[in-house]
Amino acid sequence: MRIALVAALLLTSGFACADEGQWQPYQMPSIADKLQQRGIAIPASQLADLGQYPMNAVVSLGYCTASFVSPQGLVVTNHHCAYRGIQYNSKKEHNYLEDGFLANTQAEEPSAGPNERLYITEKVTNVTSQVMANLSTEPLARFKGIQTNSKALIKSCEADDNYRCSVNSFHHGLEYYLTKQLIIRDVRLVYAPPESIGGFGGDIDNYEYPRHSGDFTFLRAYVGKNGKPASYSEDNIPYSPKSYLKINADGVKAGDGIFVAGYPGATSRYNLTSELQFASDWIYPTYAKRYQLQIDTITLMGDIDKDIALKYAGAMASMANRMKKLNGLLDGFNATDIVGIKQQRENDFLAWLKKDPNANQNLISDLEALLAEKHQQMQTNYFFKNAQSSEMLQVASKLYRLAKERKKPNDQRESGFQLRDMKMFKAALKRIDSSFDPVVDKILWLQDLQAYVRQPLKNQVFDNALSISDSFEPLETKVESLYALTELTNQTKRLAWMAKTAADFEISADPFIRLAVAIHETNMTLEISEKLLEGKLSFVHPEYMKAIIDYYKSNNWPVYPDANRTLRITYGMVDGYQSKDALYKQPFTRLAGILAKNTGEEPYYVPAKLLAAIKADDLGKHRVTSVYRQQSSCQFMSCLDKPADFNSVPVNFLSSADTTGGNSGSPVFNGKGELVGLNFDSTYEAITKDWFFNPTITRAVHVDIRYILWMMDKVDHADNLIKELTLVTKAEGEAKVATAIATTEILPEITSETSTKATTETTTVVAPEVATEVATEVAVKAVTEVAPDVAIEVATEVATEVPTKATAEAVTVLAPKVATEAPVKAVTEVAPDVAIEVATEVPTIATAEAVTVVAPKVATEAQADTVIEVAPEAVPEVTTTAPTKAVVLVAPEAAPEVVTKAVTKTPAKAAVVVAPEAVPEVVTKAVTKTLAKAAVVVAPEATAGKEPN
């Protein structure tokens, strides 16, 4: 059913901009208010800094997103993102796709493949002025000028071979940014569940909800012994990341704010309506038809030969995902009038533009003419390009192109054929053996050739080279001979061609090389025509985007660039949605759903160990009672009904975050920046968000971190990996101190006096290795001490959660870096070496009756009603400037002069406690100068003094 009024509603309602945006990190301060509204407490300025936690822990796989989760280079991403690495290591004798994989030691971790990489973004720089400098007004020369300027920037950026740099266009060429990324070249497989868990529900559940997918896998980054990136070697060591994510084992609840960081692939939200119409009418149906034919063919052949199924598993998963998305886009256009929405907004833009006398009123018509040319170009070349789809022909063409490009200076070569590209080029040639079968490749190529023969747009050079005629049978014979005679299927001989000259190719007898040489110039001509058109668009598109941005700003709509595989941040909340009339989809799914879907056959086959764990109700500490913050909330359910206890482990959950392809594997953070899930999909209704963001139905689907931890703990017993993770929890109802899978130690420093109060005034001393189950019953007036060297990840949870349940008499002794989180009336002791920036924040948070023990250098910043202990090395200037009503405790080592000076400046009603070692002369002098009613309490050891007034 088409939603007739949806365009008007979305364009005029406040919801039109809710949670929308795939923001560049530097933009975060500009939306700080929106982040705060969603309950995201981590400072926007911190998210904008790629050198700080958590952004420096988010990495790219080149096609998906991942994140560091341990100091030993452990990385978590989606199962389908690590599919190639799992497939690479799967053989008939040990099928890791079918059985799963767990390395119990680092020595057991195999390479994920020669061309697997991790890219750590360290810096993003606006280089628009450099890219656009000294450009020609001739379209092709202009295009080449942009490429030349970009290559120069990349060359300078890549002075260190360990870095990969790229110049990316934003807003259709209005802006350009240079991204600098550290390359990790040794990536290894660590832990992956079986595909029956990682891809539970298969293509049927893809883009659907409710979901029950364990779409996660762990990898590890390795480097050379010197700590620098290196190719795979048994001597390599785990990479030590600058940061790694804390994991919140308590996860999130409905209504909680979250944010997602990752590398979204491509969106088209600023494109014209004609582009949407062309995609709907031609691109999507045409592509879907080809993908479906390929899927059917490989499925049939894989059923006969399991080796084929393994080799093409990655390709199949990718094609199935694209196919489902294409169908979802087509269905989405039928269900919601996206074309109408886009057209109305475009009409409004034109009306707005006409009001500006200085604006180019031909802007849209000029752009439309060039886009029509582009669409025609795509249709003309589509079948010819597909007719070259044979893996062996692709290899031959790339190798010949490399030989031709090597004649040029390196900085003039085409991207992909420069010296910087050779490692990946070689790795790709090697990897072919693990994902290629000549019989399958031949049949798939023949299908594309048949489609080419049946359409009128032929290429004479190609037809002559393959002896193509109206009869298809001779073509089949020709193709058979090409595969029978080529040597490119042999890896050694294939790699040897990387060193050959163009002349070597031109005299070769290999049939695929001869075909590649024959059609090379034709392909170069097509490439030049495409570059020429891009050069023309480079004049008009930026001008269009500048006007569009001004129009959006005039309407107070969010302005962010379309996705282009660069690092972005999006935010939202955990929330379900109304998918159909009277059908509300809850935000969380549970283990029971896995049992309900289980058929014993793919795609709903549940492995025996998972089945047993669920049936045994073996949830342990991972059991979640409720996924709602308030049982009385009627935002997510009927107000008349009290929801039943969740009483399970959350498997997947929904959020309103704005994600798309490439965000797969992206970490999902709670408001504190702690990992609570992994993004892996979108709902079917939300697929059209690539063109238009509809906040009422746009939902991203995430794997819940609690399901991952439960799988690791109770199903696969990945204890070695659990110990690597930094887990934090918070208790429901009572203060609780915990980190996962660790030990509890009562420190020997606890005195007998403290022990006698261990009733309502329970003393809980938590060591750095504190266990999950300890301190669950910390009563009011409890004294919670976190050892100074405790991990910050633990200290934060202890500091911020325990005191909120304790009374004003509770004493919380915090580790230095988390002092700023202490709540009111808590007693905060900041270690002497704490940074000034931290210490100065504490007193501003603590209220009256709070005792703040501040390090020497920041004593002057303390508020009234606080007790300031100045450490022995405190200088007089600090002591004498203690604030009004402060109680000054001077350490024994303080010089008499310091004590005297401090006491004499203390105002009325203040109590001055002089340490025992203070000499009588000092005490006497202090007392005589104290104002009326000042109380001077002299320790027993003092040899002289006076009673206070």
Side-chain angles (χ1 to χ4, degrees):
M1 171 178 140
R2 295 175 74 82
I3 304 174
L5 298 178
V6 70
L9 290 173
L10 288 173
L11 289 172
T12 57
S13 73
F15 286 107
C17 301
D19 298 343
E20 177 183 354
Q22 295 169 348
W23 304 89
Q24 293 174 269
Y26 86 87
Q27 292 181 289
M28 300 313 290
S30 70
I31 60 168
D33 57 333
K34 294 181 174 63
L35 298 176
Q36 291 173 358
Q37 289 170 10
R38 279 293 180 228
I40 297 171
I42 191 167
S45 58
Q46 184 173 336
L47 295 178
D49 189 344
L50 300 184
Q52 287 196 57
Y53 179 97
M55 295 307 294
N56 59 359
V58 181
V59 300
S60 171
L61 296 173
Y63 47 87
C64 278
T65 305
S67 50
F68 287 114
V69 289
S70 95
Q72 299 181 60
L74 191 66
V75 170
V76 67
T77 187
N78 286 158
H79 184 275
H80 77 263
C81 292
Y83 208 95
R84 295 194 310 187
I86 305 170
Q87 175 198 21
Y88 180 80
N89 287 285
S90 294
K91 304 291 185 290
K92 289 182 179 179
E93 56 271 21
H94 52 76
N95 189 341
Y96 297 145
L97 285 173
E98 183 175 318
D99 304 326
F101 173 79
L102 172 63
N104 292 307
T105 65
Q106 292 179 2
E108 298 174 15
E109 298 171 358
S111 169
N115 55 349
E116 290 305 304
R117 300 287 188 273
L118 291 179
Y119 300 93
I120 305 169
T121 300
E122 293 190 356
K123 190 175 183 181
V124 177
T125 309
N126 189 327
V127 291
T128 306
S129 59
Q130 295 96 309
V131 172
M132 302 301 288
N134 303 316
L135 296 181
S136 170
T137 56
E138 194 278 317
L140 184 58
R142 181 182 177 85
F143 176 89
K144 292 181 178 179
I146 291 172
Q147 295 300 302
T148 298
N149 291 342
S150 297
K151 289 176 183 176
L153 289 166
I154 291 170
K155 181 179 179 180
S156 176
C157 179
E158 291 182 347
D160 185 337
D161 188 49
N162 293 319
Y163 286 89
R164 182 78 171 184
C165 302
S166 61
V167 173
N168 300 101
S169 167
F170 291 75
H171 293 304
H172 290 293
L174 182 63
E175 296 177 341
Y176 289 87
Y177 283 82
L178 174 70
T179 300
K180 183 177 183 179
Q181 297 177 311
L182 181 70
I183 314 171
I184 302 296
R185 298 188 177 91
D186 185 354
V187 182
R188 304 189 191 181
L189 181 63
V190 178
Y191 166 45
E195 186 178 6
S196 54
I197 294 174
F200 184 74
D203 186 51
I204 296 175
D205 274 10
N206 193 20
Y207 287 111
E208 300 293 346
Y209 196 83
R211 293 292 291 277
H212 302 84
S213 174
D215 199 351
F216 70 91
T217 290
F218 287 85
L219 306 170
R220 194 184 304 278
Y222 280 80
V223 292
K225 288 185 176 181
N226 59 0
K228 295 184 178 180
S231 298
Y232 175 85
S233 170
E234 291 184 358
D235 295 330
N236 285 351
I237 60 175
Y239 171 68
S240 297
K242 293 181 179 178
S243 186
Y244 55 92
L245 301 183
K246 294 177 288 185
I247 298 175
N248 191 302
D250 285 329
V252 286
K253 293 185 176 183
D256 283 354
I258 56 92
F259 66 97
V260 178
Y263 294 81
T267 54
S268 307
R269 294 181 185 168
Y270 299 104
N271 287 27
L272 295 181
T273 307
S274 60
E275 295 178 270
L276 172 56
Q277 194 73 60
F278 178 70
S280 177
D281 294 345
W282 187 82
I283 294 178
Y284 297 155
T286 304
Y287 284 23
K289 182 179 179 181
R290 179 170 180 252
Y291 287 142
Q292 192 60 60
L293 180 60
Q294 292 178 331
I295 290 170
D296 293 342
T297 301
I298 298 172
T299 300
L300 180 61
M301 300 184 74
D303 289 341
I304 299 171
D305 187 337
K306 295 301 180 185
D307 190 49
I308 287 176
L310 272 177
K311 284 187 173 182
Y312 284 86
M316 282 287 285
S318 178
M319 285 190 292
N321 185 64
R322 292 176 198 166
M323 188 68 197
K324 191 69 175 280
K325 182 169 184 176
L326 290 173
N327 287 332
L329 285 163
L330 292 170
D331 288 348
F333 294 151
N334 290 328
T336 304
D337 190 11
I338 303 296
V339 173
I341 294 172
K342 294 285 290 184
Q343 189 62 64
Q344 180 174 337
R345 179 163 289 189
E346 194 171 304
N347 292 341
D348 290 345
F349 165 68
L350 287 170
W352 175 86
L353 194 66
K354 287 180 180 178
K355 297 177 183 178
D356 184 357
N358 298 318
N360 177 7
Q361 300 302 323
N362 296 322
L363 185 58
I364 295 295
S365 59
D366 290 346
L367 182 56
E368 290 280 22
L370 291 174
L371 291 174
E373 185 180 341
K374 183 175 183 177
H375 297 160
Q376 181 61 48
Q377 190 179 75
M378 291 176 65
Q379 291 174 308
T380 301
N381 299 336
Y382 175 77
F383 289 101
F384 174 61
K385 287 185 176 181
N386 286 346
Q388 302 175 54
S389 64
S390 162
E391 186 74 50
M392 292 299 98
L393 180 54
Q394 291 285 317
V395 167
S397 295
K398 289 176 182 176
L399 285 167
Y400 183 52
R401 178 74 179 271
L402 175 62
K404 300 280 281 186
E405 292 289 338
R406 286 208 335 257
K407 295 179 179 180
K408 307 174 186 176
N410 184 59
D411 58 355
Q412 294 180 24
R413 296 181 192 176
E414 193 69 21
S415 179
F417 298 94
Q418 294 179 297
L419 292 175
R420 65 194 287 268
D421 304 307
M422 289 304 97
K423 289 179 181 178
M424 286 295 286
F425 194 104
K426 184 176 182 179
L429 291 179
K430 286 182 176 180
R431 192 182 177 89
I432 288 173
D433 291 343
S434 66
S435 58
F436 167 81
D437 182 273
V439 177
V440 177
D441 194 59
K442 177 174 59 180
I443 292 176
L444 295 178
W445 189 31
L446 281 169
Q447 290 173 347
D448 281 335
L449 287 172
Q450 192 171 36
Y452 168 78
V453 169
R454 288 173 177 171
Q455 56 89 44
L457 301 173
K458 301 288 197 304
N459 182 281
Q460 192 62 47
V461 174
F462 183 71
D463 293 356
N464 291 340
L466 266 180
S467 303
I468 291 178
S469 64
D470 293 336
S471 174
F472 192 69
E473 288 185 10
L475 184 58
E476 290 184 86
T477 303
K478 177 75 172 181
V479 167
E480 287 280 0
S481 67
L482 263 66
Y483 282 91
L485 298 173
T486 187
E487 293 184 337
L488 293 176
T489 53
N490 181 286
Q491 184 183 120
T492 302
K493 293 181 178 180
R494 189 165 61 238
L495 291 172
W497 280 99
M498 285 187 67
K500 302 283 187 179
T501 66
D504 293 328
F505 280 84
E506 289 154 10
I507 62 174
S508 172
D510 188 290
F512 275 112
I513 290 178
R514 290 176 63 85
L515 180 57
V517 171
I519 62 176
H520 177 76
E521 289 304 320
T522 300
N523 283 327
M524 291 301 97
T525 300
L526 293 179
E527 185 176 296
I528 290 173
S529 66
E530 291 170 349
K531 290 178 178 179
L532 176 62
L533 181 55
E534 288 301 317
K536 294 177 182 177
L537 284 167
S538 70
F539 288 102
V540 183
H541 244 151
E543 184 182 1
Y544 162 73
M545 282 307 305
K546 185 177 184 303
I548 279 289
I549 289 173
D550 290 342
Y551 167 64
Y552 270 53
K553 287 181 177 179
S554 71
N555 285 282
N556 197 30
W557 293 338
V559 177
Y560 54 89
D562 270 320
N564 61 355
R565 295 203 177 278
T566 58
L567 185 56
R568 305 295 180 88
I569 301 173
T570 181
Y571 66 94
M573 66 180 286
V574 179
D575 194 8
Y577 72 106
Q578 194 81 24
S579 63
K580 294 179 181 178
D581 183 38
L583 180 60
Y584 179 82
K585 294 193 175 182
Q586 299 289 341
F588 291 92
T589 60
R590 66 186 80 202
L591 294 176
I594 298 175
L595 292 183
K597 288 182 177 180
N598 178 39
T599 63
E601 297 180 356
E602 294 294 346
Y604 296 112
Y605 168 74
V606 181
K609 58 183 178 181
L610 176 58
L611 202 60
I614 297 175
K615 288 184 176 180
D617 197 33
D618 187 13
L619 309 187
K621 60 183 170 292
H622 308 286
R623 187 186 302 275
V624 174
T625 303
S626 175
V627 291
Y628 298 101
R629 289 191 289 181
Q630 294 181 355
Q631 292 283 24
S632 61
S633 171
C634 52
Q635 179 180 359
F636 308 102
M637 66 207 74
S638 168
C639 294
L640 301 178
D641 300 323
K642 179 181 179 181
D645 288 343
F646 190 78
N647 196 33
S648 185
V649 175
V651 180
N652 296 155
F653 69 96
L654 297 172
S655 83
S656 58
D658 187 357
T659 62
T660 191
N663 272 124
S664 289
S666 288
V668 183
F669 299 95
N670 64 9
K672 296 179 182 178
E674 298 160 343
L675 184 67
V676 293
L678 300 177
N679 184 76
F680 75 96
D681 206 357
S682 295
T683 55
Y684 198 71
E685 298 88 343
I687 292 178
T688 52
K689 65 184 174 182
D690 282 0
W691 290 92
F692 185 83
F693 186 87
N694 182 342
T696 62
I697 60 173
T698 297
R699 294 293 180 271
V701 187
H702 316 299
V703 189
D704 198 298
I705 197 65
R706 292 166 287 194
Y707 182 57
I708 297 175
L709 294 174
W710 177 75
M711 282 284 302
M712 297 174 75
D713 183 18
K714 296 296 185 179
V715 180
D716 289 324
H717 306 290
D719 300 337
N720 57 314
L721 299 182
I722 293 175
K723 291 177 182 177
E724 279 194 53
L725 306 177
T726 297
L727 307 182
V728 293
T729 65
K730 60 181 180 180
E732 298 174 15
E734 295 180 311
K736 175 181 178 181
V737 183
T739 59
I741 319 302
T743 60
T744 305
E745 176 183 358
I746 304 299
L747 297 179
E749 291 81 4
I750 300 179
T751 64
S752 57
E753 178 182 356
T754 303
S755 300
T756 61
K757 297 180 180 180
T759 53
T760 57
E761 298 180 60
T762 304
T763 302
T764 304
V765 183
V766 184
E769 303 84 8
V770 64
T772 302
E773 303 302 327
V774 71
T776 57
E777 302 276 341
V778 179
V780 296
K781 303 182 181 180
V783 179
T784 305
E785 174 180 350
V786 179
D789 59 341
V790 71
I792 299 304
E793 293 77 4
V794 178
T796 301
E797 285 303 316
V798 175
T800 59
E801 296 300 328
V802 176
T804 60
K805 302 298 180 184
T807 64
E809 296 178 39
V811 179
T812 304
V813 186
L814 299 182
K817 294 184 181 178
V818 294
T820 58
E821 301 296 327
V824 297
K825 298 187 179 181
V827 179
T828 307
E829 173 179 350
V830 181
D833 57 345
V834 68
I836 294 178
E837 292 78 5
V838 176
T840 55
E841 291 296 320
V842 179
T844 63
I845 295 175
T847 61
E849 300 181 16
V851 180
T852 305
V853 185
V854 185
K857 294 182 181 180
V858 294
T860 58
E861 301 297 326
Q863 302 287 316
D865 296 315
T866 59
V867 175
I868 301 176
E869 172 180 350
V870 180
E873 58 273 18
V875 295
E877 289 74 15
V878 174
T879 307
T880 57
T881 52
T884 307
K885 299 184 181 179
V887 178
V888 181
L889 172 65
V890 181
E893 296 82 357
E897 293 77 12
V898 177
V899 177
T900 304
K901 189 174 182 181
V903 172
T904 57
K905 289 195 175 185
T906 304
K909 299 184 180 180
V912 180
V913 184
V914 181
E917 293 80 356
V919 295
E921 293 78 10
V922 176
V923 176
T924 304
K925 186 176 181 181
V927 172
T928 58
K929 292 191 177 183
T930 303
L931 299 177
K933 297 184 180 181
V936 180
V937 182
V938 182
E941 294 82 352
T943 57
K946 293 185 178 181
E947 292 295 320
N949 292 332

